[in-house]
Amino acid sequence: MSRTFNFSAGPAALPEPVLLQAQRELLEWSGERASVMEVSHRGAAFVAAAEEAERDLRDLLSVPSNYKVLFLQGGATQHFAQIPMNIAGVDRVADYIVTGAWGQKAVAEGKPYVRAQVAATSEAGNFTSIPARSEWQLSAEAAYVHYTPNETIHGVEFHQAPEVGDVPLVGDFSSTLLSRPIDVAHHGIIYAGAQKNIGPSGLVVLIVREDLIPTPPSNIAKVLSYAAQAKDGSMLNTPPTFSWYLAGLVFKWLKEQGGLGAMAERNRAKAELLYSTIDGSGGFYRNPVEVSSRSWMNVPFTLVDEALDKPFLKESEAAGLLALKGHRAVGGMRASIYNAMPIEGVRALTDFMADFAKRHG
């Protein structure tokens, strides 16, 4: 087997023990004499597994009892629109803090369903920092304040949740959820596409305070209603069962690793190692993000000469370091070092980077 270190931004690497367990159970799962992909989502076996996955996630995140945990479909992008459909409406204002491409997309997709107002943005600085809190122009009447705790493309991260008063705080945690402990109760809604730290694509985890979804909105389809989905245990229609099952295995794996406190220490160490290599390269490598806003999960970097990009990618792939090409909006390279990336993978990358700089500098 030629499996190696995968730095893809998403769909991203999954923990190898999880993949091996899924492999063992692929043809026959939980005594059902069938694959988990082949059994009814309303059958006792799958319902039990789904409920256990929710309990484990609640335990990992210390989710308060007055929050619903939903396992939904559509990717986070669909929920850019679905959130205002459920908790706002075209007659309400919603504030958006924009620190990168995904924040921009959240505004664009929300505009048909809410009066989306950009209350702060770091676009003028090419999304290399978080706007100073004193510059935010928040509305006291806003239905919610939306932010992106970690920007996958630009590598900018909030290391503390912002204070927004009594207005519900909504966070797109797609690329950072489960990488460290967070204060769920500080938020009205937390949502995340699964394909970074949770599981395979096709699943969205959404955690919502109950008072924000008291009844299904009358002007949207029932399948888009968080209240309706909560009432039916996220099984209003057939859910993405295989993704849900795999997410449950990931939650178990995280608990076996020591929980989110332990993952935070690992992720901090991985990020520090990579950034120290970049900063200590004498200018051969460069990360454009303000130091206080640097992401633990997604590390973009450029080389001193763009002509070296192709050799870097060719040689790194040959060395077993995959998917390091940067997003087209930023260029250069990007190393995504989510939970499933071991410190050994980051060491292999930084050793390669040092050798490459020595040979081409």
Side-chain angles (χ1 to χ4, degrees):
M1 185 171 66
S2 59
R3 183 174 175 82
T4 185
F5 297 120
N6 178 10
F7 293 90
S8 173
L14 285 163
E16 196 164 299
V18 167
L19 293 176
L20 289 171
Q21 182 174 347
Q23 182 186 54
R24 290 193 301 269
E25 298 178 341
L26 188 62
L27 293 180
E28 186 170 353
W29 167 74
S30 191
E32 291 296 293
R33 297 187 295 175
S35 172
V36 69
M37 292 183 285
E38 299 172 318
V39 301
S40 170
H41 61 291
R42 302 192 191 281
F46 187 82
V47 169
E51 290 174 348
E52 186 171 6
E54 179 178 336
R55 286 194 300 271
D56 285 339
L57 181 61
R58 283 183 175 274
D59 188 35
L60 284 164
L61 289 168
S62 300
V63 178
S65 60
N66 64 323
Y67 282 71
K68 295 292 187 182
V69 175
L70 306 180
F71 293 83
L72 304 173
Q73 302 182 62
T77 299
Q78 178 173 308
H79 294 268
F80 293 162
Q82 210 165 324
I83 286 168
M85 286 182 192
N86 275 271
I87 69 168
V90 293
D91 59 333
R92 299 288 304 278
V93 170
D95 289 330
Y96 287 78
I97 312 305
V98 180
T99 53
W102 292 108
Q104 287 181 312
K105 290 183 179 183
V107 173
E109 295 299 317
K111 277 185 175 179
Y113 309 102
V114 72
R115 289 162 55 199
Q117 169 183 291
V118 176
T121 179
S122 54
E123 184 175 11
N126 295 318
F127 296 126
T128 56
S129 65
I130 292 169
R133 182 62 179 80
S134 59
E135 298 173 359
W136 297 13
Q137 297 180 347
L138 300 176
S139 170
E141 305 303 316
Y144 59 86
V145 177
H146 183 282
Y147 79 122
T148 310
N150 184 75
E151 281 284 354
T152 315
I153 293 173
H154 289 88
V156 173
E157 183 166 14
F158 285 80
H159 290 287
Q160 286 188 323
E163 295 290 340
V164 296
D166 294 331
V167 176
L169 181 63
V170 174
D172 172 9
F173 277 77
S174 292
S175 52
T176 190
L177 192 66
L178 301 179
S179 66
R180 72 209 75 186
I182 59 172
D183 184 3
V184 173
H186 191 72
H187 298 78
I189 295 178
I190 287 170
Y191 68 108
Q195 65 273 16
K196 318 289 186 178
N197 277 320
I198 299 172
S201 59
L203 177 72
V204 171
V205 170
L206 187 138
I207 304 169
V208 56
R209 206 173 66 216
E210 289 178 350
D211 65 284
L212 294 177
I213 54 165
T215 56
S218 60
N219 61 337
I220 66 173
K222 190 177 180 182
V223 74
L224 299 177
S225 164
Y226 296 150
Q229 289 282 9
K231 182 180 178 182
D232 280 9
S234 303
M235 295 189 187
L236 183 65
N237 62 328
T238 306
T241 54
F242 190 66
S243 295
W244 196 337
Y245 151 78
L246 274 170
L249 298 186
V250 171
F251 302 155
K252 292 289 187 192
W253 176 80
L254 286 168
K255 296 179 83 170
E256 290 167 1
Q257 306 313 300
L260 301 191
M263 295 311 301
E265 292 307 310
R266 294 186 192 186
N267 288 326
R268 180 186 291 111
K270 291 186 297 184
E272 287 177 353
L273 174 58
L274 183 48
Y275 284 119
S276 66
T277 299
I278 293 168
D279 295 341
S281 68
F284 189 88
Y285 302 107
R286 180 177 177 272
N287 172 267
V289 179
E290 182 181 280
V291 171
S292 63
S293 302
R294 284 174 165 179
S295 168
W296 286 7
M297 297 283 97
N298 309 100
V299 182
F301 60 94
T302 55
L303 279 66
V304 67
D305 182 353
E306 285 186 13
L308 292 172
D309 285 3
K310 287 185 177 180
F312 183 95
L313 289 170
K314 183 178 180 179
E315 292 182 28
S316 62
E317 185 169 346
L321 308 168
L322 307 182
L324 285 166
K325 185 176 182 179
H327 192 276
R328 60 185 177 277
V330 177
M333 308 299 150
R334 173 176 54 175
S336 295
I337 49 177
Y338 302 122
N339 285 344
M341 175 58 65
I343 188 70
E344 291 79 10
V346 180
R347 288 197 189 106
L349 172 59
T350 55
D351 287 348
F352 170 81
M353 291 170 66
D355 179 67
F356 186 89
K358 184 178 180 180
R359 290 185 288 106
H360 294 276

